[in-house]
Structures are given as C-alpha cells and as structure tokens.
Coordinates of all heavy atoms in Angstrom, one line a residue:
M1 N -2.2 17.8 19.3 CA -1.3 17.6 18.2 C -0.5 16.4 18.5 O 0.1 16.1 19.6 CB -0.4 18.8 18.0 CG -1.1 20.0 17.3 SD -1.4 19.5 15.7 CE -2.3 20.9 15.2
G2 N -0.1 15.7 17.3 CA 0.7 14.6 17.5 C 2.3 14.9 17.5 O 2.6 15.9 16.8
F3 N 2.9 14.1 18.1 CA 4.4 14.4 18.3 C 5.1 14.1 17.0 O 6.2 14.8 16.6 CB 5.0 13.4 19.3 CG 6.5 13.5 19.5 CD1 7.1 14.6 20.1 CD2 7.4 12.6 19.2 CE1 8.5 14.8 20.2 CE2 8.7 12.6 19.2 CZ 9.3 13.7 19.8
F4 N 4.6 13.1 16.2 CA 5.3 12.7 15.0 C 4.8 13.3 13.7 O 5.1 12.9 12.6 CB 5.2 11.1 14.8 CG 5.9 10.4 15.9 CD1 5.2 9.7 16.9 CD2 7.3 10.5 16.1 CE1 5.7 9.1 17.9 CE2 7.9 9.8 17.1 CZ 7.1 9.1 18.0
K5 N 4.0 14.4 13.8 CA 3.4 15.0 12.6 C 4.4 15.6 11.6 O 4.3 15.4 10.4 CB 2.4 16.0 13.0 CG 1.6 16.6 12.0 CD 0.4 17.3 12.4 CE -0.4 17.7 11.2 NZ -1.7 17.1 11.1
S6 N 5.5 16.2 12.1 CA 6.5 16.8 11.2 C 7.7 16.0 11.0 O 8.6 16.5 10.4 CB 6.8 18.2 11.8 OG 7.5 18.0 12.9
S7 N 7.7 14.8 11.4 CA 9.0 13.9 11.3 C 8.9 13.0 10.0 O 9.6 11.9 10.1 CB 9.1 13.1 12.5 OG 8.0 12.1 12.6
K8 N 8.4 13.4 8.9 CA 8.3 12.6 7.7 C 9.7 12.4 7.1 O 9.9 11.6 6.3 CB 7.3 13.2 6.7 CG 5.9 13.0 7.1 CD 5.0 13.3 6.0 CE 3.5 13.0 6.4 NZ 2.6 13.1 5.3
T9 N 10.7 13.2 7.5 CA 12.0 13.2 7.0 C 12.9 12.0 7.5 O 13.9 11.8 7.1 CB 12.7 14.5 7.0 OG1 12.9 14.8 8.4 CG2 12.1 15.6 6.4
L10 N 12.3 11.4 8.5 CA 13.0 10.2 9.2 C 13.3 9.1 8.2 O 14.4 8.6 8.2 CB 12.3 9.7 10.4 CG 13.0 8.7 11.3 CD1 14.2 9.3 11.9 CD2 12.1 8.3 12.3
F11 N 12.4 8.7 7.3 CA 12.6 7.7 6.4 C 12.5 8.2 5.0 O 12.2 7.5 4.0 CB 11.6 6.5 6.5 CG 11.9 5.7 7.8 CD1 11.2 5.9 8.9 CD2 12.9 4.8 7.7 CE1 11.4 5.2 10.1 CE2 13.2 4.1 8.9 CZ 12.4 4.2 10.0
G12 N 12.7 9.5 4.8 CA 12.5 10.1 3.5 C 11.3 11.0 3.4 O 10.4 10.9 4.2
N13 N 11.2 11.8 2.4 CA 10.0 12.7 2.2 C 8.9 12.0 1.3 O 7.9 12.7 1.2 CB 10.5 14.0 1.5 CG 11.3 14.8 2.3 OD1 11.2 14.7 3.6 ND2 12.2 15.7 1.8
N14 N 9.1 10.9 0.8 CA 8.1 10.3 0.0 C 7.4 9.2 0.7 O 7.1 8.2 0.0 CB 8.8 9.8 -1.4 CG 9.9 8.8 -1.1 OD1 10.3 8.6 0.1 ND2 10.4 8.3 -2.1
I15 N 7.0 9.3 1.9 CA 6.2 8.2 2.5 C 4.7 8.5 2.2 O 4.2 9.6 2.5 CB 6.4 8.3 4.1 CG1 7.9 7.9 4.4 CG2 5.5 7.3 4.8 CD1 8.3 8.1 5.7
E16 N 4.1 7.5 1.7 CA 2.7 7.6 1.3 C 1.9 7.5 2.8 O 2.2 6.5 3.5 CB 2.2 6.5 0.4 CG 2.8 6.6 -0.9 CD 2.3 7.8 -1.7 OE1 1.1 8.0 -1.6 OE2 3.0 8.4 -2.4
P17 N 0.9 8.3 3.0 CA 0.1 8.0 4.1 C -0.7 6.7 4.1 O -1.3 6.4 3.1 CB -0.9 9.2 4.1 CG -0.4 10.2 3.1 CD 0.5 9.4 2.2
A18 N -0.6 5.9 5.2 CA -1.2 4.7 5.2 C -1.5 4.3 6.7 O -0.8 4.7 7.5 CB -0.4 3.5 4.6
C19 N -2.6 3.7 6.9 CA -3.0 3.4 8.3 C -2.1 2.5 9.1 O -1.9 2.5 10.2 CB -4.4 2.8 8.4 SG -5.6 4.1 8.1
I20 N -1.3 1.7 8.2 CA -0.3 0.8 8.9 C 0.8 1.6 9.6 O 1.4 1.1 10.5 CB 0.2 -0.2 7.8 CG1 0.9 -1.4 8.4 CG2 1.2 0.4 6.9 CD1 1.1 -2.5 7.6
Y21 N 1.1 2.8 9.2 CA 2.1 3.7 9.8 C 1.5 4.8 10.7 O 2.1 5.6 11.1 CB 3.0 4.4 8.7 CG 3.5 3.5 7.7 CD1 3.4 3.7 6.4 CD2 4.3 2.4 8.1 CE1 3.9 2.8 5.4 CE2 4.9 1.5 7.2 CZ 4.7 1.8 5.8 OH 5.2 1.0 5.0
C22 N 0.2 4.7 10.9 CA -0.5 5.8 11.6 C -0.5 5.5 13.1 O -0.5 4.4 13.5 CB -2.0 5.9 11.1 SG -2.9 7.2 11.9
Q23 N -0.5 6.5 13.8 CA -0.5 6.5 15.4 C -1.8 6.0 15.9 O -1.8 5.3 16.8 CB -0.3 7.9 15.9 CG -0.3 8.0 17.4 CD -0.2 9.4 17.9 OE1 0.1 10.3 17.1 NE2 -0.2 9.6 19.2
F24 N -2.9 6.1 15.1 CA -4.3 5.7 15.6 C -4.6 4.2 15.1 O -5.5 3.7 15.6 CB -5.3 6.6 15.0 CG -5.0 8.0 15.5 CD1 -4.9 9.0 14.5 CD2 -5.1 8.3 16.8 CE1 -4.6 10.4 15.0 CE2 -5.0 9.6 17.2 CZ -4.7 10.7 16.3
G25 N -3.7 3.6 14.2 CA -4.1 2.3 13.7 C -3.5 1.2 14.7 O -2.4 1.3 15.1
E26 N -4.2 0.3 15.0 CA -3.8 -0.9 15.8 C -4.1 -2.3 15.1 O -5.1 -2.3 14.3 CB -4.5 -1.0 17.2 CG -4.3 0.4 18.0 CD -2.8 0.4 18.4 OE1 -2.2 -0.7 18.7 OE2 -2.3 1.4 18.7
N27 N -3.3 -3.2 15.3 CA -3.4 -4.5 14.6 C -4.7 -5.2 15.2 O -5.0 -5.1 16.4 CB -2.3 -5.4 14.9 CG -1.1 -5.0 14.1 OD1 -1.2 -4.3 13.1 ND2 0.1 -5.4 14.6
S28 N -5.5 -5.9 14.2 CA -6.7 -6.6 14.7 C -6.3 -8.1 14.7 O -5.3 -8.5 14.3 CB -7.8 -6.4 13.8 OG -7.5 -6.9 12.5
S29 N -7.2 -8.9 15.3 CA -7.0 -10.4 15.3 C -7.1 -10.9 13.8 O -6.6 -12.0 13.6 CB -8.0 -11.0 16.2 OG -9.3 -10.7 15.7
D30 N -7.6 -10.2 12.9 CA -7.7 -10.7 11.6 C -6.4 -10.7 10.8 O -6.1 -11.5 9.9 CB -8.7 -9.8 10.8 CG -9.1 -10.2 9.4 OD1 -8.7 -11.3 9.0 OD2 -9.7 -9.4 8.7
E31 N -5.5 -9.7 11.2 CA -4.2 -9.5 10.6 C -4.1 -9.0 9.2 O -3.2 -8.9 8.6 CB -3.2 -10.7 10.7 CG -2.9 -11.1 12.1 CD -2.0 -12.4 12.2 OE1 -1.5 -12.8 11.2 OE2 -1.7 -12.8 13.3
Q32 N -5.3 -8.8 8.6 CA -5.5 -8.2 7.3 C -6.1 -6.8 7.3 O -6.1 -6.1 6.3 CB -6.3 -9.1 6.4 CG -5.7 -10.4 6.1 CD -6.5 -11.3 5.2 OE1 -7.6 -11.0 4.8 NE2 -5.9 -12.4 4.8
M33 N -6.7 -6.5 8.4 CA -7.3 -5.2 8.6 C -6.7 -4.6 9.9 O -6.1 -5.3 10.6 CB -8.8 -5.4 8.8 CG -9.6 -6.1 7.6 SD -9.3 -5.2 6.0 CE -10.8 -4.1 6.1
L34 N -7.0 -3.3 10.0 CA -6.5 -2.6 11.2 C -7.7 -1.9 12.0 O -8.8 -1.6 11.3 CB -5.6 -1.4 10.8 CG -4.3 -1.8 10.2 CD1 -3.5 -0.6 9.8 CD2 -3.4 -2.5 11.3
L35 N -7.6 -1.7 13.2 CA -8.6 -1.0 14.0 C -8.1 0.4 14.2 O -7.1 0.6 14.9 CB -8.7 -1.8 15.4 CG -9.3 -3.2 15.3 CD1 -9.2 -3.8 16.8 CD2 -10.6 -3.3 14.8
C36 N -8.9 1.3 13.6 CA -8.5 2.7 13.8 C -9.4 3.3 14.9 O -10.6 3.2 14.9 CB -8.7 3.4 12.5 SG -8.5 5.1 12.5
S37 N -8.8 4.1 15.7 CA -9.6 4.7 16.8 C -10.5 5.9 16.3 O -11.4 6.3 16.9 CB -8.7 5.2 17.9 OG -7.8 6.2 17.4
K38 N -10.2 6.2 15.0 CA -10.9 7.4 14.4 C -12.0 6.9 13.4 O -13.2 7.4 13.4 CB -10.1 8.4 13.7 CG -9.1 9.0 14.6 CD -9.6 9.9 15.6 CE -8.5 10.6 16.4 NZ -8.9 11.4 17.4
K39 N -11.7 5.8 12.7 CA -12.6 5.3 11.6 C -13.1 4.0 11.7 O -14.0 3.5 11.0 CB -11.8 5.4 10.2 CG -11.4 6.8 9.7 CD -12.7 7.6 9.3 CE -12.2 9.0 8.8 NZ -13.4 9.7 8.3
G40 N -12.6 3.2 12.7 CA -13.1 1.8 12.9 C -12.2 0.8 12.2 O -11.0 1.0 12.1
V41 N -12.8 -0.2 11.6 CA -12.1 -1.3 10.8 C -11.7 -0.8 9.4 O -12.6 -0.3 8.7 CB -12.8 -2.5 10.8 CG1 -12.0 -3.6 10.0 CG2 -13.2 -3.1 12.2
V42 N -10.4 -0.6 9.1 CA -9.9 -0.2 7.8 C -8.9 -1.0 7.3 O -8.2 -1.9 7.9 CB -9.4 1.3 7.9 CG1 -10.4 2.3 8.4 CG2 -8.2 1.3 8.9
S43 N -8.6 -0.9 6.0 CA -7.5 -1.5 5.3 C -6.2 -1.0 5.7 O -6.0 0.2 6.1 CB -7.7 -1.4 3.7 OG -6.6 -1.8 3.1
P44 N -5.1 -1.8 5.7 CA -3.8 -1.3 6.2 C -3.2 0.0 5.3 O -2.5 0.8 5.8 CB -2.9 -2.5 6.0 CG -3.8 -3.6 6.1 CD -5.0 -3.2 5.5
Y45 N -3.7 0.0 4.0 CA -3.2 1.1 3.1 C -4.2 2.1 2.9 O -4.1 3.0 2.1 CB -2.7 0.4 1.9 CG -1.5 -0.4 2.1 CD1 -1.7 -1.8 2.2 CD2 -0.3 0.2 2.5 CE1 -0.6 -2.6 2.5 CE2 0.9 -0.7 2.9 CZ 0.7 -2.0 2.8 OH 1.8 -2.8 3.1
Y46 N -5.3 2.2 3.8 CA -6.2 3.3 3.7 C -5.6 4.5 4.5 O -4.8 4.3 5.3 CB -7.5 2.8 4.4 CG -8.6 3.9 4.6 CD1 -9.3 4.3 3.6 CD2 -8.7 4.5 5.9 CE1 -10.3 5.3 3.8 CE2 -9.6 5.5 6.0 CZ -10.4 5.9 5.0 OH -11.4 6.8 5.2
S47 N -6.0 5.7 4.2 CA -5.6 6.9 4.9 C -6.7 7.9 5.0 O -7.5 8.0 4.0 CB -4.4 7.5 4.2 OG -4.6 8.0 3.0
C48 N -6.8 8.7 6.0 CA -7.8 9.6 6.2 C -7.1 11.0 6.6 O -5.9 11.1 6.7 CB -8.8 9.3 7.2 SG -8.2 9.1 8.9
N49 N -7.9 12.0 6.9 CA -7.4 13.3 7.3 C -6.8 13.3 8.7 O -6.1 14.2 9.0 CB -8.4 14.3 7.1 CG -8.9 14.6 5.7 OD1 -8.3 14.2 4.8 ND2 -10.2 15.2 5.6
K50 N -7.0 12.3 9.5 CA -6.5 12.2 10.8 C -5.1 11.5 10.9 O -4.6 11.3 12.0 CB -7.5 11.5 11.8 CG -8.9 12.0 11.8 CD -8.8 13.3 12.6 CE -10.3 13.9 12.6 NZ -10.3 15.2 13.3
F51 N -4.5 11.3 9.7 CA -3.3 10.5 9.7 C -2.2 11.2 10.5 O -1.9 12.3 10.2 CB -2.9 10.3 8.2 CG -1.5 9.6 8.0 CD1 -1.4 8.2 8.2 CD2 -0.4 10.4 7.8 CE1 -0.2 7.6 8.1 CE2 0.9 9.7 7.6 CZ 0.9 8.4 7.7
L52 N -1.5 10.5 11.4 CA -0.4 11.0 12.1 C 0.7 9.9 12.0 O 0.5 8.8 12.4 CB -0.6 11.2 13.6 CG -1.4 12.5 13.9 CD1 -1.8 12.6 15.4 CD2 -0.7 13.7 13.4
Y53 N 1.9 10.2 11.3 CA 2.9 9.3 11.1 C 3.6 8.9 12.4 O 3.9 9.7 13.2 CB 4.0 9.9 10.1 CG 5.0 9.0 9.8 CD1 4.9 7.8 9.1 CD2 6.4 9.3 10.2 CE1 5.9 7.0 8.8 CE2 7.4 8.5 10.0 CZ 7.2 7.4 9.3 OH 8.3 6.5 9.0
C54 N 3.7 7.6 12.6 CA 4.4 7.0 13.8 C 5.6 6.2 13.2 O 5.3 5.1 12.8 CB 3.4 6.2 14.6 SG 4.2 5.5 16.1
P55 N 6.8 6.8 13.3 CA 8.0 5.9 12.8 C 8.3 4.7 13.5 O 9.0 3.8 12.9 CB 9.2 6.9 12.9 CG 8.7 7.9 14.0 CD 7.2 8.0 13.9
T56 N 7.8 4.4 14.8 CA 8.1 3.2 15.4 C 7.3 2.0 14.8 O 7.6 0.8 15.1 CB 7.7 3.3 16.9 OG1 6.3 3.6 17.1 CG2 8.6 4.4 17.5
K57 N 6.3 2.3 14.0 CA 5.5 1.2 13.4 C 6.0 0.8 12.1 O 5.6 -0.1 11.5 CB 4.0 1.7 13.3 CG 3.3 1.9 14.5 CD 1.8 2.1 14.3 CE 1.1 2.1 15.6 NZ -0.3 2.2 15.4
R58 N 7.0 1.6 11.6 CA 7.6 1.2 10.3 C 8.6 0.1 10.4 O 9.5 0.2 11.3 CB 8.2 2.4 9.7 CG 8.6 2.2 8.3 CD 9.1 3.6 7.7 NE 9.4 3.6 6.3 CZ 8.5 3.6 5.3 NH1 7.3 3.9 5.5 NH2 9.0 3.5 4.1
I59 N 8.6 -0.9 9.6 CA 9.6 -2.0 9.6 C 10.6 -1.7 8.6 O 10.2 -1.7 7.3 CB 8.9 -3.4 9.4 CG1 7.8 -3.7 10.5 CG2 9.9 -4.5 9.3 CD1 7.0 -4.8 10.2
P60 N 11.9 -1.5 8.9 CA 12.8 -1.1 7.9 C 13.2 -2.3 7.0 O 13.2 -3.4 7.4 CB 14.0 -0.6 8.7 CG 13.8 -1.2 10.1 CD 12.4 -1.5 10.2
R61 N 13.7 -1.9 5.8 CA 14.0 -3.0 4.9 C 15.4 -3.6 5.4 O 16.3 -2.9 5.9 CB 14.3 -2.5 3.5 CG 13.0 -2.1 2.8 CD 13.3 -1.6 1.4 NE 12.5 -0.4 1.2 CZ 12.9 0.7 0.6 NH1 14.1 0.7 0.0 NH2 12.1 1.7 0.4
R62 N 15.6 -4.9 5.1 CA 16.9 -5.5 5.5 C 18.0 -5.0 4.6 O 17.8 -4.8 3.4 CB 16.7 -7.0 5.4 CG 15.6 -7.6 6.3 CD 15.8 -9.0 6.4 NE 17.0 -9.3 7.2 CZ 17.3 -10.5 7.8 NH1 16.5 -11.5 7.6 NH2 18.3 -10.6 8.4
L63 N 19.2 -4.9 5.2 CA 20.3 -4.5 4.4 C 20.9 -5.7 3.6 O 20.7 -6.9 4.0 CB 21.5 -4.0 5.4 CG 21.2 -2.8 6.1 CD1 22.3 -2.5 7.1 CD2 21.0 -1.7 5.2
P64 N 21.3 -5.5 2.4 CA 21.8 -6.6 1.6 C 23.1 -7.2 2.2 O 23.9 -6.5 2.9 CB 22.2 -5.9 0.2 CG 22.3 -4.5 0.5 CD 21.5 -4.2 1.7
N65 N 23.3 -8.4 2.0 CA 24.6 -9.1 2.5 C 25.8 -8.5 1.8 O 25.8 -8.4 0.6 CB 24.4 -10.6 2.3 CG 23.4 -11.3 3.0 OD1 23.1 -10.8 4.1 ND2 22.9 -12.4 2.6
L66 N 26.8 -8.3 2.5 CA 28.0 -7.8 2.0 C 28.9 -9.0 1.4 O 28.9 -10.0 1.9 CB 28.8 -7.1 3.2 CG 28.3 -5.9 3.8 CD1 29.1 -5.4 4.9 CD2 28.0 -4.8 2.8
P67 N 29.5 -8.7 0.4 CA 30.3 -9.7 -0.2 C 31.5 -10.1 0.7 O 32.1 -9.3 1.4 CB 30.8 -9.1 -1.6 CG 30.7 -7.7 -1.4 CD 29.6 -7.4 -0.4
S68 N 32.0 -11.3 0.6 CA 33.1 -11.7 1.5 C 34.3 -11.6 0.6 O 34.4 -11.9 -0.5 CB 32.9 -13.2 1.9 OG 32.7 -14.0 0.8
F69 N 35.4 -11.1 1.3 CA 36.7 -10.9 0.6 C 37.7 -11.8 1.4 O 37.6 -12.1 2.5 CB 37.1 -9.4 0.8 CG 36.2 -8.5 0.1 CD1 35.2 -7.7 0.8 CD2 36.2 -8.3 -1.3 CE1 34.5 -6.8 0.1 CE2 35.4 -7.5 -2.0 CZ 34.5 -6.7 -1.3
S70 N 38.7 -12.1 0.6 CA 39.9 -12.9 1.1 C 41.1 -12.0 1.1 O 41.1 -10.8 0.6 CB 40.1 -14.1 0.3 OG 40.5 -13.7 -1.0
K71 N 42.2 -12.5 1.7 CA 43.4 -11.8 1.8 C 44.0 -11.4 0.4 O 44.7 -10.4 0.1 CB 44.5 -12.5 2.6 CG 44.7 -12.0 4.0 CD 45.9 -12.6 4.6 CE 46.3 -11.9 5.8 NZ 47.3 -12.5 6.5
E72 N 43.8 -12.4 -0.6 CA 44.3 -12.2 -1.9 C 43.6 -11.1 -2.7 O 44.2 -10.5 -3.6 CB 44.2 -13.5 -2.7 CG 44.9 -14.7 -2.2 CD 44.3 -15.4 -1.0 OE1 43.1 -15.4 -1.0 OE2 45.2 -15.9 -0.2
D73 N 42.4 -10.8 -2.2 CA 41.7 -9.6 -2.9 C 42.5 -8.3 -2.7 O 42.3 -7.3 -3.4 CB 40.3 -9.5 -2.5 CG 39.5 -10.7 -2.9 OD1 39.8 -11.2 -4.0 OD2 38.4 -11.0 -2.2
F74 N 43.2 -8.2 -1.5 CA 43.8 -6.9 -1.1 C 45.3 -7.0 -1.4 O 46.0 -6.0 -0.9 CB 43.5 -6.7 0.3 CG 42.0 -6.4 0.6 CD1 41.3 -7.5 1.1 CD2 41.4 -5.2 0.3 CE1 39.9 -7.3 1.4 CE2 40.1 -5.0 0.5 CZ 39.3 -6.1 1.0
S75 N 45.8 -7.9 -2.0 CA 47.3 -8.0 -2.3 C 47.6 -7.5 -3.7 O 46.8 -7.7 -4.6 CB 47.9 -9.4 -2.0 OG 47.3 -10.3 -2.9
L76 N 48.7 -7.0 -3.9 CA 49.2 -6.5 -5.2 C 49.9 -7.6 -5.9 O 50.7 -8.4 -5.5 CB 49.9 -5.3 -5.1 CG 49.1 -4.1 -4.6 CD1 50.1 -2.9 -4.4 CD2 48.0 -3.8 -5.6

C-alpha cells in the first residue's frame, strides 16, 4: 500500500488523477512523456488503476503579488 493514498485533502479534494502526480511516474528524457513503472511510456495526464498520489511531485501555484502601501494609506 502507498503512503500517500489517502492524502488527497492536502491540495483539496478535487485533484484529477494524472501520472504527473503519481508515485510510479518518472520524468523521461523526452520531457513530454513519463516513464511509468506499471504501464511503460505514458502521457503526463494519463491515469490508470495503479494511481497513487504523491504530493511532493505537485508544483504549487505562485502567490499573487501583494499591493504596496504607503504611510498615507493608513492615515486619517
């Protein structure tokens, strides 16, 4: 059993299964396909019944830049 099987709530409950986030998917030299230890060469967004979510492979979205404030913005 995989350690990360029940941890889908780490980035929300609506994560689509994809080999790019799977424990068994590894990057290939092609950079457009993945090497799956279960299925062979697959597309990054392919998924199979052996999918095990690995949160360390997920790249989080960047936070938006915060607006800059001056002292006048906080004075009455």
Side-chain angles (χ1 to χ4, degrees):
M1 284 291 174
F3 177 71
F4 298 111
K5 188 162 183 118
S6 64
S7 65
K8 288 190 177 190
T9 59
L10 188 62
F11 288 101
N13 289 334
N14 57 356
I15 295 173
E16 294 289 327
C19 287
I20 198 165
Y21 307 127
C22 183
Q23 179 180 357
F24 302 114
E26 298 294 329
N27 291 335
S28 67
S29 60
D30 185 11
E31 295 183 7
Q32 293 180 353
M33 302 298 270
L34 294 174
L35 299 174
C36 178
S37 61
K38 303 292 183 182
K39 296 287 184 175
V41 178
V42 293
S43 169
Y45 296 102
Y46 174 78
S47 67
C48 66
N49 294 340
K50 302 290 184 181
F51 175 79
L52 287 176
Y53 179 66
C54 182
T56 59
K57 291 190 176 184
R58 190 169 180 90
I59 300 172
R61 288 184 228 140
R62 296 192 73 163
L63 294 175
N65 292 333
L66 296 175
S68 59
F69 295 104
S70 64
K71 255 187 169 177
E72 291 83 30
D73 293 333
F74 297 102
S75 65
L76 296 175

